[in-house]
Amino acid sequence: MKSFFISVLVLTSLFVRAQQHSEQHHVGYVTPKDPAVKAKLDQWQGIKFGLLMHWGTYSQWGIVESWSLCPEDEGWCERKGPYAANWYEYRQAYEKIPQTFNPVKFNPDRWAKAAKEAGMKYVVFTTKHHDGFCMFDTKQTDYKITNTPFKTNPKANVAKEVFKSFRDQGFMVGAYFSKPDWHTDSYWWSYFPPKDRNSSYVPSKYPEKWNQFKQFTYNQIQELMTDYGKMDILWLDGGWVRPFSTIDSTVSWQKAIPFDQDIDMPKIAKMAREHQPGLLVVDRTVAGEYENYVTPEQSVPSEALPFPWESCMTMGDSWSYIPKENFKSTRKLIHMLADIVSKGGNLLLNVAPGPDGEWHEEAYQRLADIGKWMNVNGEAIYETTAVAPYQSGKWAYTKKGNTLYALYRAAEGETLPTSLEIPILEKGQNVQLLGTKGAVKAQDKTVKLSEYLRKQAGDSPVYVFKLTKK
């Protein structure tokens, strides 16, 4: 078995899996009518920066989350190791991982503290991915974290502990939940072998079986909405589980959905909001009443969007834990944040815990570095709105009330020059370089920066100029 792990770790490619949601739809958004939901959505839009965590038993093998189980001929579904030649043997071995899964270093308080110091203000945690393994103590299946060697740990109900730790730090809390479930017999029914990511049977031909799945899904979401404290976001993944009438034929992956897989979102959302008033429901890619904000994956829209949105992005190359991750630089991550916020969006940044329950130490360092920048420049991020022209060259712009912010995205090794042209600078505006004390002289659209100011500003991935009326 050890050789299998080594083989997997060596052969697993460091590709970025953006097959599901990179094709962004711009139509069909429905503004919530519930005042509590609207208020929560306004709050969420103001906090700008969140943490996503993909974590499950797949971290023990250091492989892509869930997708190696999917019998499709796609790069992100490729199997590795000694079981790869036979899907049935591979699935059997995969589903035995819980027998040895024991994340003894699990410490959500450390995660929450690091995320808070980075300036993050909301969290979305994977309670269940497509493989069906539950990181919470569900009563609907034994395929769960509390049925592993970790079950004797006082923090065995992982999702509950994560939500509590982040809630205690003042975070908005969100539950990632996969609508498809490749473990339960009511979705991948053992009578028919699965051919792809969809249910292994046609729901309309076997309505009793599909109703079992709908009830199973409803029951699990009800557990999350009743037993895990105050919840702000229900973040639903697996967009192929949807009513057939909602398929967008202009999106390539949606065209491949073969049949209706309606799980009755009106019933689920009604129940969830009865327990959690104002809950944001994010039925990803299913445009309409139950997609309160839109979530492009591993991509940033080229323009400002006319509805609430977030880009969910990985800190490294992978959504799930891999032993040697290629983390993006602090500069790149902060540039990404500035890019997204200037277009009116939020950044949901993914960090993946390992099989022992810890992050890579490098992930902690990235968050600490981002936090240092946010401590100086956060006012140009939080509670801001997009303002035309949004961006120009190295500049990105945000607005808060009558105050404008011009964010200069410096290149690697670039020092702040003695003069800069700020395209949105208007006559009669005061200019302040955040993090410095002293006057910034402005003439027309050009600012002059003294050596004193440049020394105070130091080396920064993004320099922020605050523009106010005199």
Side-chain angles (χ1 to χ4, degrees):
M1 187 60 75
K2 184 178 179 181
S3 62
F4 169 56
F5 296 148
I6 294 173
S7 177
V8 168
L9 301 183
V10 171
L11 295 175
T12 299
S13 61
L14 305 183
F15 58 81
V16 174
R17 184 183 59 80
Q19 37 56 258
Q20 287 303 318
H21 309 288
S22 59
E23 297 169 80
Q24 179 60 44
H25 57 271
H26 287 195
V27 295
Y29 180 78
V30 175
T31 301
K33 297 177 182 177
D34 183 339
V37 176
K38 291 176 70 174
K40 180 89 70 175
L41 188 58
D42 287 344
Q43 178 190 359
W44 173 84
Q45 284 190 278
I47 58 180
K48 298 302 180 186
F49 190 25
L51 172 69
L52 175 62
M53 282 186 282
H54 278 71
W55 192 28
T57 56
Y58 41 79
S59 69
Q60 189 157 305
W61 283 1
I63 58 174
V64 65
E65 67 291 343
S66 298
W67 282 98
S68 62
L69 287 174
C70 185
E72 295 182 15
D73 188 16
E74 300 285 359
W76 57 86
C77 300
E78 188 177 359
R79 296 187 297 276
K80 306 287 186 180
Y83 307 109
N86 186 303
W87 180 85
Y88 296 94
E89 291 181 5
Y90 184 89
R91 182 184 181 186
Q92 185 178 44
Y94 184 102
E95 293 188 342
K96 285 182 178 179
I97 301 175
Q99 295 177 10
T100 55
F101 190 64
N102 193 17
V104 293
K105 293 184 180 179
F106 172 58
N107 181 6
D109 287 346
R110 188 184 182 199
W111 296 346
K113 184 174 183 290
K116 182 177 182 178
E117 290 177 353
M120 292 170 159
K121 293 184 180 291
Y122 68 107
V123 66
V124 176
F125 180 73
T126 46
T127 62
K128 181 180 76 168
H129 207 262
H130 312 326
D131 62 6
F133 184 80
C134 298
M135 298 297 282
F136 67 107
D137 189 26
T138 178
K139 296 177 177 62
Q140 312 307 316
T141 178
D142 288 333
Y143 197 51
K144 58 184 179 178
I145 186 66
T146 49
N147 192 31
T148 70
F150 195 59
K151 65 185 177 183
T152 59
N153 192 289
K155 295 185 177 182
N157 193 351
V158 162
K160 179 172 279 191
E161 297 296 328
V162 169
F163 295 145
K164 181 181 184 303
S165 290
F166 280 84
R167 206 179 285 117
D168 287 349
Q169 292 291 340
F171 278 62
M172 292 181 74
V173 166
Y176 170 115
F177 183 88
S178 169
K179 293 181 294 181
D181 187 313
W182 296 336
H183 181 80
T184 186
D185 195 59
S186 58
Y187 192 76
W188 274 3
W189 184 17
S190 54
Y191 186 79
F192 293 112
K195 299 183 291 294
D196 51 32
R197 71 193 65 182
N198 299 285
S199 65
S200 65
Y201 61 96
V202 179
S204 61
K205 290 183 67 174
Y206 300 94
E208 184 176 344
K209 179 64 71 173
W210 186 252
N211 284 334
Q212 288 177 11
F213 179 66
K214 286 167 64 176
Q215 191 62 51
F216 172 82
T217 303
Y218 181 95
N219 290 349
Q220 285 202 319
I221 293 175
Q222 186 175 49
E223 289 174 336
L224 290 168
M225 296 298 108
T226 56
D227 299 335
Y228 290 79
K230 183 176 181 292
M231 203 69 65
D232 300 293
I233 304 166
L234 176 61
W235 208 85
L236 299 171
D237 202 8
W240 58 94
V241 175
R242 66 197 296 151
F244 198 76
S245 61
T246 68
I247 293 172
D248 184 349
S249 60
T250 66
V251 178
S252 60
W253 69 267
Q254 292 190 32
K255 286 192 292 188
I257 302 172
F259 38 63
D260 185 281
Q261 297 181 65
D262 188 349
I263 57 170
D264 197 349
M265 277 304 302
K267 181 180 178 182
I268 288 173
K270 182 176 183 294
M271 172 273 293
R273 285 178 174 146
E274 285 174 352
H275 297 297
Q276 302 287 344
L279 180 78
L280 299 180
V281 178
V282 186
D283 191 8
R284 302 186 66 210
T285 76
V286 187
E289 187 177 354
Y290 305 108
E291 190 180 30
N292 293 154
Y293 62 80
V294 177
T295 56
E297 178 176 314
Q298 294 289 50
S299 63
V300 180
S302 59
E303 57 192 21
L305 302 179
F307 42 72
W309 63 278
E310 77 183 356
S311 280
C312 50
M313 312 283 285
T314 52
M315 182 182 279
D317 288 337
S318 175
W319 291 107
S320 52
Y321 172 86
I322 54 177
K324 293 184 179 180
E325 181 60 276
N326 177 34
F327 288 103
K328 297 175 178 69
S329 68
T330 301
R331 183 176 302 272
K332 185 171 183 178
L333 292 169
I334 294 175
H335 280 206
M336 185 189 301
L337 177 63
D339 183 15
I340 290 167
V341 172
S342 72
K343 295 169 184 171
N346 287 18
L347 170 59
L348 184 64
L349 186 63
N350 184 84
V351 178
D356 62 354
E358 256 295 13
W359 294 346
H360 289 284
E361 287 301 317
E362 197 171 352
Y364 286 108
Q365 187 59 55
R366 288 291 186 280
L367 292 182
D369 292 343
I370 293 171
K372 291 175 184 176
W373 184 87
M374 291 287 274
N375 286 338
V376 174
N377 302 288
E379 66 174 276
I381 301 296
Y382 303 124
E383 306 298 335
T384 61
T385 56
V387 56
Y390 313 113
Q391 300 189 10
S392 54
K394 290 184 177 181
W395 292 99
Y397 310 113
T398 63
K399 182 179 181 181
K400 187 185 300 180
N402 292 323
T403 300
L404 297 175
Y405 297 93
L407 293 80
Y408 183 76
R409 294 168 288 184
E412 183 71 40
E414 181 182 3
T415 57
L416 197 60
T418 55
S419 66
L420 275 171
E421 182 180 308
I422 304 179
I424 64 168
L425 181 60
E426 296 178 358
K427 187 176 181 180
Q429 285 181 316
N430 286 319
V431 183
Q432 177 190 355
L433 176 57
L434 296 187
T436 69
K437 295 180 180 179
V440 177
K441 296 179 180 180
Q443 184 176 3
D444 296 325
K445 293 184 179 296
T446 300
V447 293
K448 302 291 184 179
L449 301 168
S450 67
E451 182 62 28
Y452 174 69
L453 281 178
R454 294 168 66 220
K455 188 174 181 180
Q456 284 186 73
D459 180 29
S460 178
V462 177
Y463 298 95
V464 179
F465 293 84
K466 181 178 182 178
L467 314 179
T468 55
K469 291 182 179 180
K470 291 181 178 178

